[in-house]
Amino acid sequence: MIICRSCCSEKNVHAVCPTSQGSESKKRSKMEIDRSIKEAFQSIKDAGEAIDTLIFVYSGHHDDRGFQLLGNDQDVWSDHDLCRQIEELHNVKRVIAFLDCCYPKKLAVDCGLTKKCVQFCSSETEYKTFGTAFTKFLIQAFTRKAKDIRCLNVEKTHAEKECVSCKGFNSDIITFEKLAIYLERHMRKHWEESIYQLNPSSSFHDSAWVIGFNMRFDANVLFKINGKESSIKKDITQVNTIEELKKDFLKELFEGKYVLVYG
Protein backbone atom coordinates (compact mmCIF):
# COMPACT_ATOMS: atom_id res chain seq x y z
CA MET A 1 0.00 0.00 0.00
CA ILE A 2 1.37 3.41 -0.98
CA ILE A 3 -0.03 6.76 0.16
CA CYS A 4 1.57 9.83 -1.35
CA ARG A 5 0.92 13.46 -2.14
CA SER A 6 2.10 15.16 -5.29
CA CYS A 7 4.79 15.91 -5.99
CA CYS A 8 5.92 12.37 -5.23
CA SER A 9 9.27 13.17 -3.64
CA GLU A 10 10.52 10.64 -1.11
CA LYS A 11 9.42 12.73 1.87
CA ASN A 12 5.83 12.79 0.56
CA VAL A 13 5.52 9.01 0.08
CA HIS A 14 4.37 6.57 2.75
CA ALA A 15 4.72 2.86 1.89
CA VAL A 16 2.94 0.38 4.15
CA CYS A 17 4.25 -3.16 3.67
CA PRO A 18 3.20 -6.49 5.26
CA THR A 19 6.84 -7.19 6.14
CA SER A 20 9.34 -5.07 8.04
CA GLN A 21 12.04 -3.36 6.01
CA GLY A 22 15.72 -4.04 6.71
CA SER A 23 18.31 -6.78 6.66
CA GLU A 24 16.00 -9.19 8.49
CA SER A 25 12.58 -9.05 6.89
CA LYS A 26 9.77 -10.45 9.01
CA LYS A 27 6.00 -10.39 8.90
CA ARG A 28 4.39 -7.50 10.75
CA SER A 29 1.28 -7.75 12.91
CA LYS A 30 -2.06 -6.27 11.89
CA MET A 31 -1.72 -3.81 14.77
CA GLU A 32 1.61 -2.57 13.39
CA ILE A 33 0.17 -2.14 9.89
CA ASP A 34 -2.93 -0.36 11.20
CA ARG A 35 -0.68 2.04 13.10
CA SER A 36 1.43 2.70 9.99
CA ILE A 37 -1.68 3.47 7.91
CA LYS A 38 -3.08 5.85 10.52
CA GLU A 39 0.30 7.58 10.88
CA ALA A 40 0.51 8.07 7.10
CA PHE A 41 -2.92 9.69 6.90
CA GLN A 42 -2.29 11.71 10.05
CA SER A 43 0.90 13.17 8.57
CA ILE A 44 -1.18 14.46 5.66
CA LYS A 45 -3.74 16.01 8.02
CA ASP A 46 -0.91 17.65 9.99
CA ALA A 47 0.87 19.00 6.90
CA GLY A 48 -0.32 22.51 7.67
CA GLU A 49 -0.86 23.32 4.00
CA ALA A 50 -3.35 22.69 1.23
CA ILE A 51 -2.53 19.56 -0.76
CA ASP A 52 -3.59 19.45 -4.40
CA THR A 53 -3.56 15.68 -4.99
CA LEU A 54 -3.37 12.55 -2.83
CA ILE A 55 -2.55 9.25 -4.53
CA PHE A 56 -3.53 5.98 -2.86
CA VAL A 57 -2.24 2.71 -4.36
CA TYR A 58 -3.17 -0.75 -3.10
CA SER A 59 -1.87 -4.00 -4.60
CA GLY A 60 -2.90 -7.14 -2.76
CA HIS A 61 -5.78 -9.35 -1.70
CA HIS A 62 -9.33 -8.05 -1.28
CA ASP A 63 -12.75 -9.58 -0.68
CA ASP A 64 -16.24 -8.47 0.39
CA ARG A 65 -14.95 -7.48 3.84
CA GLY A 66 -12.07 -5.33 2.65
CA PHE A 67 -8.32 -5.29 2.11
CA GLN A 68 -6.46 -8.36 3.37
CA LEU A 69 -3.34 -6.62 4.64
CA LEU A 70 -1.45 -9.81 5.49
CA GLY A 71 -2.97 -12.03 2.83
CA ASN A 72 -5.37 -13.93 5.09
CA ASP A 73 -8.99 -13.70 6.23
CA GLN A 74 -8.16 -12.56 9.74
CA ASP A 75 -6.31 -9.32 8.96
CA VAL A 76 -8.77 -7.10 7.09
CA TRP A 77 -8.85 -3.31 6.70
CA SER A 78 -12.34 -2.42 5.53
CA ASP A 79 -13.29 -0.25 2.57
CA HIS A 80 -15.24 1.87 5.04
CA ASP A 81 -12.03 2.56 7.00
CA LEU A 82 -10.34 3.85 3.85
CA CYS A 83 -13.33 6.05 2.97
CA ARG A 84 -13.39 7.51 6.46
CA GLN A 85 -9.67 8.35 6.31
CA ILE A 86 -10.13 10.10 2.96
CA GLU A 87 -13.16 12.07 4.18
CA GLU A 88 -11.15 13.40 7.14
CA LEU A 89 -8.50 14.91 4.83
CA HIS A 90 -10.01 18.39 4.73
CA ASN A 91 -6.80 19.93 3.35
CA VAL A 92 -6.76 17.67 0.25
CA LYS A 93 -8.34 18.88 -2.96
CA ARG A 94 -8.28 15.71 -5.09
CA VAL A 95 -7.83 11.99 -4.41
CA ILE A 96 -6.88 9.25 -6.87
CA ALA A 97 -7.17 5.63 -5.71
CA PHE A 98 -5.56 2.80 -7.71
CA LEU A 99 -6.82 -0.61 -6.55
CA ASP A 100 -5.03 -3.67 -7.97
CA CYS A 101 -7.04 -6.38 -6.27
CA CYS A 102 -9.92 -8.82 -6.60
CA TYR A 103 -13.55 -7.71 -6.23
CA PRO A 104 -12.82 -3.98 -5.81
CA LYS A 105 -15.71 -1.95 -4.46
CA LYS A 106 -16.84 1.56 -5.22
CA LEU A 107 -15.39 3.75 -2.48
CA ALA A 108 -18.39 5.51 -0.97
CA VAL A 109 -16.50 8.69 -0.09
CA ASP A 110 -18.52 11.71 0.92
CA CYS A 111 -16.47 14.34 -0.88
CA GLY A 112 -18.63 17.30 0.01
CA LEU A 113 -18.25 20.44 -2.11
CA THR A 114 -14.47 20.86 -1.91
CA LYS A 115 -12.96 17.45 -2.67
CA LYS A 116 -12.84 15.44 -5.90
CA CYS A 117 -12.25 11.69 -5.78
CA VAL A 118 -11.79 9.10 -8.50
CA GLN A 119 -10.61 5.50 -8.54
CA PHE A 120 -9.09 3.07 -11.04
CA CYS A 121 -9.51 -0.68 -10.46
CA SER A 122 -7.75 -3.62 -12.10
CA SER A 123 -11.07 -5.40 -12.71
CA GLU A 124 -14.79 -5.01 -12.23
CA THR A 125 -16.35 -5.57 -8.82
CA GLU A 126 -17.50 -9.14 -9.47
CA TYR A 127 -14.19 -10.36 -10.94
CA LYS A 128 -10.89 -11.63 -9.62
CA THR A 129 -7.56 -10.10 -10.66
CA PHE A 130 -4.65 -12.30 -11.70
CA GLY A 131 -1.08 -11.13 -11.14
CA THR A 132 0.00 -7.51 -10.79
CA ALA A 133 -0.12 -6.36 -14.42
CA PHE A 134 -2.28 -3.35 -13.51
CA THR A 135 0.32 -1.99 -11.07
CA LYS A 136 3.12 -2.67 -13.55
CA PHE A 137 1.30 -0.75 -16.30
CA LEU A 138 0.61 2.10 -13.87
CA ILE A 139 4.32 2.38 -13.04
CA GLN A 140 5.20 1.96 -16.70
CA ALA A 141 2.99 4.89 -17.69
CA PHE A 142 5.15 7.31 -15.68
CA THR A 143 8.60 5.72 -16.00
CA ARG A 144 8.93 3.71 -19.22
CA LYS A 145 10.20 6.59 -21.36
CA ALA A 146 12.60 7.88 -18.73
CA LYS A 147 14.09 4.43 -18.17
CA ASP A 148 13.87 3.42 -21.84
CA ILE A 149 12.50 0.00 -20.96
CA ARG A 150 10.38 -2.42 -22.96
CA CYS A 151 6.59 -2.30 -22.64
CA LEU A 152 5.18 -5.30 -20.79
CA ASN A 153 3.03 -6.07 -23.83
CA VAL A 154 6.02 -6.30 -26.21
CA GLU A 155 7.81 -9.62 -26.66
CA LYS A 156 11.47 -9.62 -25.61
CA THR A 157 12.44 -10.89 -29.06
CA HIS A 158 11.03 -7.79 -30.79
CA ALA A 159 13.31 -4.90 -31.70
CA GLU A 160 10.60 -2.35 -30.82
CA LYS A 161 10.21 -1.37 -27.15
CA GLU A 162 6.85 0.36 -27.58
CA CYS A 163 3.50 -1.26 -28.32
CA VAL A 164 0.87 0.53 -30.42
CA SER A 165 -0.79 1.96 -27.29
CA CYS A 166 2.53 3.33 -26.01
CA LYS A 167 3.05 5.29 -29.22
CA GLY A 168 -0.17 7.20 -28.61
CA PHE A 169 1.06 8.26 -25.17
CA ASN A 170 3.87 10.63 -26.09
CA SER A 171 2.79 14.00 -24.72
CA ASP A 172 4.86 15.55 -21.92
CA ILE A 173 1.96 15.96 -19.48
CA ILE A 174 -0.23 13.07 -18.28
CA THR A 175 -3.88 13.91 -17.72
CA PHE A 176 -6.58 11.79 -16.08
CA GLU A 177 -8.10 11.04 -19.48
CA LYS A 178 -4.80 10.00 -21.07
CA LEU A 179 -3.91 7.73 -18.16
CA ALA A 180 -7.36 6.10 -18.25
CA ILE A 181 -6.98 5.34 -21.96
CA TYR A 182 -3.40 4.08 -21.47
CA LEU A 183 -4.35 1.63 -18.69
CA GLU A 184 -7.49 0.50 -20.48
CA ARG A 185 -5.73 -0.33 -23.76
CA HIS A 186 -2.76 -2.04 -22.12
CA MET A 187 -4.92 -4.18 -19.84
CA ARG A 188 -7.17 -5.15 -22.77
CA LYS A 189 -4.13 -6.31 -24.71
CA HIS A 190 -2.61 -8.13 -21.73
CA TRP A 191 -5.66 -9.87 -20.21
CA GLU A 192 -8.30 -9.18 -22.86
CA GLU A 193 -10.41 -7.40 -20.25
CA SER A 194 -11.08 -3.82 -19.21
CA ILE A 195 -10.04 -1.88 -16.15
CA TYR A 196 -12.84 -0.59 -13.98
CA GLN A 197 -13.15 3.16 -13.49
CA LEU A 198 -15.29 4.37 -10.64
CA ASN A 199 -16.06 7.96 -9.78
CA PRO A 200 -17.77 8.47 -6.42
CA SER A 201 -17.47 12.24 -6.71
CA SER A 202 -20.31 13.86 -8.63
CA SER A 203 -18.21 17.04 -8.82
CA PHE A 204 -15.57 15.38 -10.99
CA HIS A 205 -15.90 16.42 -14.60
CA ASP A 206 -12.35 17.42 -15.49
CA SER A 207 -10.84 14.89 -17.90
CA ALA A 208 -7.92 17.30 -18.43
CA TRP A 209 -6.92 17.02 -14.75
CA VAL A 210 -3.11 16.91 -14.80
CA ILE A 211 -1.74 13.94 -12.85
CA GLY A 212 1.97 14.06 -13.68
CA PHE A 213 4.72 14.32 -16.24
CA ASN A 214 5.74 11.85 -18.93
CA MET A 215 9.40 12.81 -18.58
CA ARG A 216 12.38 11.57 -20.54
CA PHE A 217 14.91 13.73 -18.70
CA ASP A 218 15.51 15.37 -15.33
CA ALA A 219 13.83 18.76 -14.97
CA ASN A 220 15.48 21.22 -12.59
CA VAL A 221 14.58 24.89 -12.75
CA LEU A 222 16.93 27.17 -10.82
CA PHE A 223 17.24 30.92 -11.44
CA LYS A 224 20.12 33.01 -10.13
CA ILE A 225 19.90 36.71 -10.86
CA ASN A 226 22.77 38.89 -9.66
CA GLY A 227 23.80 36.13 -7.32
CA LYS A 228 20.34 35.83 -5.77
CA GLU A 229 18.14 32.78 -6.15
CA SER A 230 14.66 33.37 -7.56
CA SER A 231 11.68 31.14 -8.20
CA ILE A 232 8.56 31.45 -10.33
CA LYS A 233 5.41 29.42 -9.73
CA LYS A 234 3.35 28.25 -12.70
CA ASP A 235 0.06 26.40 -13.05
CA ILE A 236 1.01 23.50 -15.33
CA THR A 237 -2.64 22.87 -16.22
CA GLN A 238 -2.41 25.94 -18.46
CA VAL A 239 0.19 24.39 -20.79
CA ASN A 240 0.25 21.30 -22.95
CA THR A 241 3.97 20.63 -23.32
CA ILE A 242 7.21 21.16 -21.43
CA GLU A 243 8.36 23.52 -24.21
CA GLU A 244 5.35 25.76 -23.58
CA LEU A 245 6.16 25.73 -19.87
CA LYS A 246 9.75 26.80 -20.57
CA LYS A 247 8.57 29.67 -22.74
CA ASP A 248 6.15 30.86 -20.06
CA PHE A 249 8.97 30.87 -17.48
CA LEU A 250 11.27 32.81 -19.78
CA LYS A 251 8.56 35.30 -20.71
CA GLU A 252 7.78 36.08 -17.09
CA LEU A 253 11.44 36.30 -16.15
CA PHE A 254 12.71 38.49 -18.97
CA GLU A 255 9.68 40.24 -20.51
CA GLY A 256 10.34 43.95 -20.93
CA LYS A 257 14.09 43.48 -20.44
CA TYR A 258 15.19 41.42 -23.45
CA VAL A 259 13.97 40.38 -26.85
CA LEU A 260 13.13 36.69 -26.59
CA VAL A 261 13.97 34.48 -29.57
CA TYR A 262 12.74 30.89 -29.44
CA GLY A 263 14.68 28.44 -31.52
Side-chain angles (χ1 to χ4, degrees):
M1 180 184 298
I2 298 175
I3 305 165
C4 63
R5 43 185 283 209
S6 58
C7 90
C8 296
S9 62
E10 187 175 346
K11 68 177 182 179
N12 291 334
V13 177
H14 301 271
V16 180
C17 306
T19 55
S20 59
Q21 303 301 299
S23 56
E24 294 186 7
S25 176
K26 69 177 182 180
K27 202 168 187 179
R28 305 170 69 195
S29 68
K30 182 177 184 293
M31 185 179 296
E32 289 176 311
I33 295 178
D34 281 342
R35 184 169 60 247
S36 294
I37 294 172
K38 289 177 181 178
E39 287 174 353
F41 277 101
Q42 189 61 46
S43 70
I44 296 169
K45 297 173 190 175
D46 296 340
E49 59 180 319
I51 295 172
D52 184 75
T53 304
L54 172 75
I55 299 172
F56 176 88
V57 182
Y58 176 80
S59 181
H61 297 288
H62 181 274
D63 59 20
D64 287 340
R65 293 170 305 154
F67 305 96
Q68 297 179 18
L69 301 179
L70 296 176
N72 59 59
D73 296 340
Q74 305 303 315
D75 302 303
V76 176
W77 192 56
S78 72
D79 297 80
H80 173 73
D81 288 337
L82 173 57
C83 294
R84 182 171 52 81
Q85 290 287 357
I86 292 174
E87 288 170 358
E88 292 176 358
L89 299 175
H90 302 298
N91 58 330
V92 175
K93 181 180 177 182
R94 299 180 288 197
V95 178
I96 314 174
F98 296 98
L99 306 182
D100 189 358
C101 58
C102 300
Y103 314 116
K105 293 182 180 180
K106 177 178 180 178
L107 298 177
V109 179
D110 182 4
C111 292
L113 299 175
T114 59
K115 190 187 283 103
K116 297 178 181 180
C117 185
V118 68
Q119 70 186 93
F120 291 87
C121 304
S122 55
S123 64
E124 295 192 26
T125 303
E126 63 269 26
Y127 292 109
K128 294 187 70 173
T129 293
F130 299 95
T132 57
F134 178 79
T135 299
K136 290 178 180 177
F137 284 128
L138 175 60
I139 295 171
Q140 176 178 293
F142 292 93
T143 63
R144 197 199 67 77
K145 283 187 177 295
K147 293 184 176 181
D148 192 31
I149 57 178
R150 189 180 305 276
C151 172
L152 189 63
N153 280 343
V154 176
E155 296 289 340
K156 292 182 179 179
T157 55
H158 289 190
E160 283 278 341
K161 292 185 178 181
E162 292 185 327
C163 71
V164 174
S165 298
C166 285
K167 291 178 179 178
F169 192 70
N170 288 321
S171 60
D172 293 323
I173 293 175
I174 299 173
T175 64
F176 166 81
E177 182 179 38
K178 289 176 182 176
L179 181 61
I181 293 171
Y182 182 92
L183 292 173
E184 170 76 18
R185 290 178 178 175
H186 280 80
M187 285 294 286
R188 274 188 177 276
K189 175 69 176 177
H190 193 78
W191 288 122
E192 296 185 354
E193 59 182 49
S194 301
I195 64 168
Y196 192 28
Q197 297 175 48
L198 287 171
N199 177 17
S201 170
S202 60
S203 61
F204 182 87
H205 302 292
D206 188 5
S207 62
W209 170 5
V210 174
I211 297 176
F213 293 101
N214 190 11
M215 302 295 283
R216 283 160 284 183
F217 51 85
D218 290 332
N220 294 298
V221 180
L222 176 64
F223 295 101
K224 279 195 174 183
I225 305 172
N226 295 328
K228 295 181 180 180
E229 291 188 1
S230 298
S231 62
I232 298 174
K233 290 185 178 181
K234 278 291 181 182
D235 181 1
I236 62 172
T237 61
Q238 304 303 312
V239 296
N240 296 312
T241 67
I242 296 299
E243 288 304 313
E244 285 184 26
L245 188 60
K246 290 177 182 177
K247 290 179 181 180
D248 277 1
F249 271 116
L250 289 172
K251 184 177 180 181
E252 187 165 329
L253 187 63
F254 296 118
E255 190 173 41
K257 301 176 184 177
Y258 303 94
V259 176
L260 297 179
V261 179
Y262 303 113

